[in-house]
C-alpha cells in the first residue's frame, strides 16, 4: 500500500481482504479471490509469514513475489502444509510487469493466469475449511457505528469506513480520499469490517524494520456490519482457523459479501468509531 502502488487493481473483486502493517509504517494487503474472475490483480508484492499463516488456514494458492527470509524459508521447508506456493520468482510466465509503474510496484497477474498456473503445476484446487457463519437475516441489535477510523501509522495510511445505509455497504477511504480500484475506478466497499487486535513486535536486527504479528491464539475483536458494531474476541485453532465470537461466546454472524479484516496492533489504541448506546444484545 505504498503511495506509489496506488490505486491497486482487483481489491474490489476480492471475497476477503486482510490489511496490516508490513514495515516502516507501510500497510500491505492480502486479497482472497474465489467467486469472481479478475482481469487485473496488482501490484503483487512479497510474502510475510503472518499472511502465509492465514493463507495456510484457507488451504490457499499463495501468490507473491519473493518474501521475507522467514516466510520464504517456511514455504521452502513445507512448514505451511496447506499452501501451494505460487512465487513469481519461479513462475514468471504467469505474471507480467506493466510499463506504467516503476518496480517493485509493477508486477500484475489475473485469476485466469493463476488458474492456468495451478493447472500446469498440478496444485491442489480442493479446499476444506471451517467457514465463517453467514446469515440471511441479521437481528437489529448492537451499537450504531456509522464511521470507523483506523490509524495504522501516518496520515498516508489512515483508513476510514463510512456506512451507506442505502446500499448496506461500508465505503472505504484511504489517506482522506475515496480508496478506488484501478480496475473499475470505483470506490472500494465492504459488507463486513472486522478489527482483529493482534500482538506485534519488531524483528530484532531486521534492517528493513519488519515486524512480527501473532495471528495464533486469541485476542479482542470488533465486528462491524449493517452500520452496527459488536465487540468480542477472535480465536485461532490449528484445525479450524480464526473465528470471531461475541461476548457470550457465540460465533458472530456476518452478512453475505466482501469482508475486510484489519489486523490492528494492540499496543496502543488505533481504532475509533461513531456509536450510540447499546440497543440490545445479539442473539445468534
Amino acid at each position: 500500500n505504498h503511495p506509489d502502488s496506488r490505486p491497486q487493481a482487483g481489491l474490489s473483486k476480492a471475497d476477503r481482504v486482510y490489511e496490516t502493517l508490513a514495515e516502516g509504517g507501510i500497510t500491505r494487503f492480502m486479497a482472497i479471490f474465489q467467486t469472481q474472475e479478475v482481469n487485473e490483480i496488482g501490484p503483487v508484492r512479497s510474502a510475510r509469514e503472518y499472511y502465509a499463516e492465514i493463507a495456510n488456514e484457507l488451504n490457499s494458492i499463495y501468490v507473491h513475489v519473493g518474501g521475507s527470509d522467514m516466510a520464504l524459508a517456511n514455504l521452502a521447508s513445507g512448514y505451511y502444509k496447506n499452501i501451494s506456493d505460487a512465487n513469481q520468482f519461479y513462475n514468471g510466465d504467469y505474471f507480467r510487469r506493466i510499463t506504467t509503474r516503476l518496480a517493485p510496484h509493477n508486477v500484475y497477474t489475473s485469476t485466469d493466469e493463476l488458474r492456468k498456473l495451478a493447472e500446469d503445476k498440478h496444485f491442489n484446487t480442493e479446499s476444506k475449511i471451517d467457514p465463517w457463519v453467514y446469515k440471511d437475516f441479521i437481528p437489529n441489535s448492537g451499537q450504531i457505528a456509522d464511521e470507523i477510523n483506523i490509524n495504522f501509522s501516518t496520515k498516508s495510511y489512515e483508513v476510514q469506513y463510512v456506512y451507506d445505509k442505502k446500499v448496506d455497504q461500508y465505503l472505504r477511504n484511504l489517506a482522506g480520499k475515496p480508496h478506488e480500484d484501478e480496475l473499475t475506478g470505483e470506490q472500494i466497499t465492504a459488507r463486513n469490517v472486522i478489527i482483529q487486535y493482534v500482538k506485534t513486535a519488531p524483528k530484532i536486527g531486521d534492517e528493513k524494520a519488519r515486524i512480527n504479528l501473532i495471528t495464533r491464539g486469541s485476542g479482542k475483536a470488533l465486528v462491524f456490519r449493517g452500520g452496527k458494531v459488536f465487540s468480542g474476541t477472535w480465536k485461532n485453532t490449528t484445525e479450524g482457523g480464526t473465528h470471531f465470537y461475541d461476548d457470550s461466546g457465540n460465533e458472530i454472524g456476518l452478512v453475505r459479501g466482501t469482508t475486510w479484516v484489519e489486523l490492528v496492533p494492540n499496543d496502543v489504541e488505533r481504532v475509533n468509531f461513531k456509536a450510540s448506546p447499546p440497543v440490545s444484545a445479539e442473539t445468534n
Side-chain angles (χ1 to χ4, degrees), residues 20-22 50 152 196-203 210-215 263-268 270:
T20 195
L21 291 165
Y50 41 84
F152 275 109
Q196 181 179 347
Y197 290 100
V198 294
K199 294 180 181 179
T200 63
K203 287 189 173 183
R210 298 188 184 101
I211 61 175
N212 284 321
L213 271 67
I214 309 303
T215 61
L263 298 163
V264 177
N266 67 356
D267 51 353
V268 295
R270 300 170 187 260

Side-chain angles (χ1 to χ4, degrees), residues 52 56-57 59-60 74 77-84 124 216:
N56 189 58
E57 294 178 14
N59 287 251
S60 302
N74 287 346
S77 69
Y79 175 78
Y80 306 114
K81 304 295 184 183
N82 302 319
I83 281 180
S84 295
N124 177 30
R216 297 177 180 174

Side-chain angles (χ1 to χ4, degrees), residues 53-238:
E53 289 171 357
I54 297 170
N56 189 58
E57 294 178 14
L58 300 172
N59 287 251
S60 302
I61 298 170
Y62 186 43
V63 183
H64 59 101
V65 180
S68 66
D69 293 342
M70 183 177 291
L72 292 179
N74 287 346
L75 287 163
S77 69
Y79 175 78
Y80 306 114
K81 304 295 184 183
N82 302 319
I83 281 180
S84 295
D85 185 13
N87 189 346
Q88 183 266 349
F89 283 2
Y90 308 108
N91 300 284
D93 290 345
Y94 306 91
F95 298 79
R96 56 203 132 80
R97 289 191 179 270
I98 63 173
T99 59
T100 53
R101 286 193 175 162
L102 297 176
H105 311 290
N106 61 347
V107 178
Y108 278 59
T109 187
S110 67
T111 52
D112 186 61
E113 289 166 294
L114 295 176
R115 293 186 196 284
K116 185 67 165 57
L117 168 61
E119 180 181 353
D120 292 347
K121 300 295 182 179
H122 305 291
F123 286 162
N124 177 30
T125 56
E126 297 294 327
S127 180
K128 292 183 179 180
I129 63 173
D130 186 6
W132 291 345
V133 173
Y134 292 89
K135 297 196 170 188
D136 294 313
F137 172 75
I138 298 296
N140 184 24
S141 58
Q143 289 180 281
I144 296 174
D146 299 316
E147 182 181 301
I148 312 161
N149 296 284
I150 307 169
N151 181 18
F152 275 109
S153 55
T154 64
K155 186 172 180 58
S156 185
Y157 301 98
E158 286 182 355
V159 174
Q160 182 186 66
Y161 293 94
V162 179
Y163 181 67
D164 186 339
K165 186 176 182 179
K166 294 179 182 178
V167 294
D168 190 20
Q169 296 271 15
Y170 291 91
L171 310 180
R172 179 180 162 89
N173 296 320
L174 176 64
K177 300 178 181 179
H179 188 182
E180 297 176 348
D181 191 316
E182 181 186 20
L183 184 65
T184 64
E186 298 177 352
Q187 187 173 11
I188 294 170
T189 63
R191 296 296 304 283
N192 309 285
V193 178
I194 298 175
I195 308 295
Q196 181 179 347
Y197 290 100
V198 294
K199 294 180 181 179
T200 63
K203 287 189 173 183
I204 304 301
D206 191 300
E207 295 180 353
K208 295 186 177 181
R210 298 188 184 101
I211 61 175
N212 284 321
L213 271 67
I214 309 303
T215 61
R216 297 177 180 174
S218 62
K220 293 182 178 180
L222 297 171
V223 176
F224 297 84
R225 63 167 202 228
K228 305 289 183 64
V229 59
F230 302 88
S231 65
T233 59
W234 63 269
K235 295 180 182 179
N236 176 287
T237 63
T238 303

Side-chain angles (χ1 to χ4, degrees), residues 4 11 41 46 53 85 109 217 226 260:
D4 291 345
L11 287 179
I41 301 172
S46 58
E53 289 171 357
D85 185 13
T109 187
W260 276 68

